Amino acid sequence: MRFFKREKISDEERRYIAFTAYETLLEFGERSLPVLSDFCRIVNSSIFIFPMQFIARKEGLTDGYFSHAGSGMALYADTTGHYIILYDEDLAPSGIRWTIARLLYLIKSGRLLETPNVFHFSDDCADSEKCDAFAYHFTCPDYILNECNISSASDIIKYCEIPFSFADKKSRLLKTSRGMPSMPAISEALDTRFRSYIERMKKDLSV
């Protein structure tokens, strides 16, 4: 495994990452938590998401052929102009969700375009902190959590279905993210898309 120098993410970068994560939620057509209820999918004919084992079997390889990739990997194929995300289907659903979310950052940030036809691994990534920042907003969008009054680690695990360690940190991050500038346009779009879910959650949590 390689070791990368961690660079502090600026407040401007964090705001941009959050905005990009919310845009991606809208692009994926998400309407409720947990997001990515269907892991295996083709998105807008440009992003292909499949289990590693499925691809291995399709190519006549053993199920463990991609085991070196850890939890998942992503690539931009310049010959066809599409992105491929592969994940380990043997992971718990919460781990798969987190892995895909992290790899989506590599697509949305343009990192994969810089080195086409080369797989980038979720477990060994130069942009690890930025991948996590994106995943926190994609799987646990602050606006939706605040609207539904979801803030404890246990509730985040229950409704967002991400691994415990990340749910625990997200709970703590929610307490310190009040100073992030508002993003009215994207928040309004999320509200419209998730409105039915928000209303249902408010009703359920008030009982």
Side-chain angles (χ1 to χ4, degrees):
M1 177 179 290
R2 293 171 293 172
F3 292 91
F4 300 101
K5 180 181 178 181
R6 293 189 174 185
E7 296 184 5
K8 182 177 176 59
I9 306 175
S10 68
D11 290 341
E12 183 178 353
E13 286 177 311
R14 288 187 185 283
R15 176 177 165 79
Y16 176 76
I17 289 171
F19 183 86
T20 304
Y22 296 159
E23 273 197 325
T24 307
L25 282 172
L26 297 173
E27 177 188 348
F28 273 52
E30 300 293 345
R31 296 179 179 276
S32 63
L33 300 178
V35 300
L36 296 176
S37 57
D38 179 13
F39 297 130
C40 183
R41 63 170 75 180
I42 297 176
V43 183
N44 294 337
S45 300
S46 62
I47 302 174
F48 298 175
I49 306 176
F50 297 115
M52 300 176 194
Q53 292 87 344
F54 169 78
I55 296 300
R57 291 191 292 268
K58 186 176 178 63
E59 297 299 321
L61 306 169
T62 63
D63 275 8
Y65 182 80
F66 293 112
S67 60
H68 65 283
S71 61
M73 55 187 177
L75 162 148
Y76 173 69
D78 63 356
T79 55
T80 57
H82 64 267
Y83 299 91
I84 301 172
I85 289 178
L86 301 180
Y87 61 87
D88 181 0
E89 67 181 2
D90 291 332
L91 292 173
S94 60
I96 294 174
R97 180 170 291 104
W98 190 258
T99 294
I100 294 174
R102 295 185 88 250
L103 292 171
L104 282 171
Y105 173 76
L106 299 181
I107 293 174
K108 295 302 179 179
S109 66
R111 170 66 74 175
L112 297 186
L113 281 173
E114 296 173 6
T115 52
N117 307 315
V118 174
F119 274 113
H120 292 245
F121 302 104
S122 177
D123 301 338
D124 184 18
C125 174
D127 292 321
S128 184
E129 290 197 32
K130 292 179 181 179
C131 288
D132 280 345
F134 180 94
Y136 279 120
H137 288 291
F138 184 81
T139 62
C140 313
D142 288 31
Y143 180 80
I144 307 303
L145 298 190
N146 290 332
E147 284 291 298
C148 297
N149 197 29
I150 297 171
S151 60
S152 69
S154 60
D155 279 348
I156 291 172
I157 290 172
K158 178 179 179 180
Y159 296 110
C160 301
E161 296 186 19
I162 62 172
F164 168 77
S165 60
F166 298 112
D168 181 58
K169 184 174 180 180
K170 179 65 180 186
S171 178
R172 289 182 276 117
L173 286 172
L174 283 172
K175 299 173 184 177
T176 60
S177 63
R178 304 298 182 186
M180 179 179 286
S182 63
M183 297 180 282
I186 197 72
S187 295
E188 183 178 341
L190 282 176
D191 186 88
T192 299
R193 185 66 63 82
F194 281 79
R195 177 44 49 186
S196 293
Y197 176 79
I198 291 171
E199 293 298 335
R200 186 171 72 251
M201 284 296 299
K202 284 183 175 179
K203 181 179 179 180
D204 290 347
L205 291 174
S206 66
V207 175

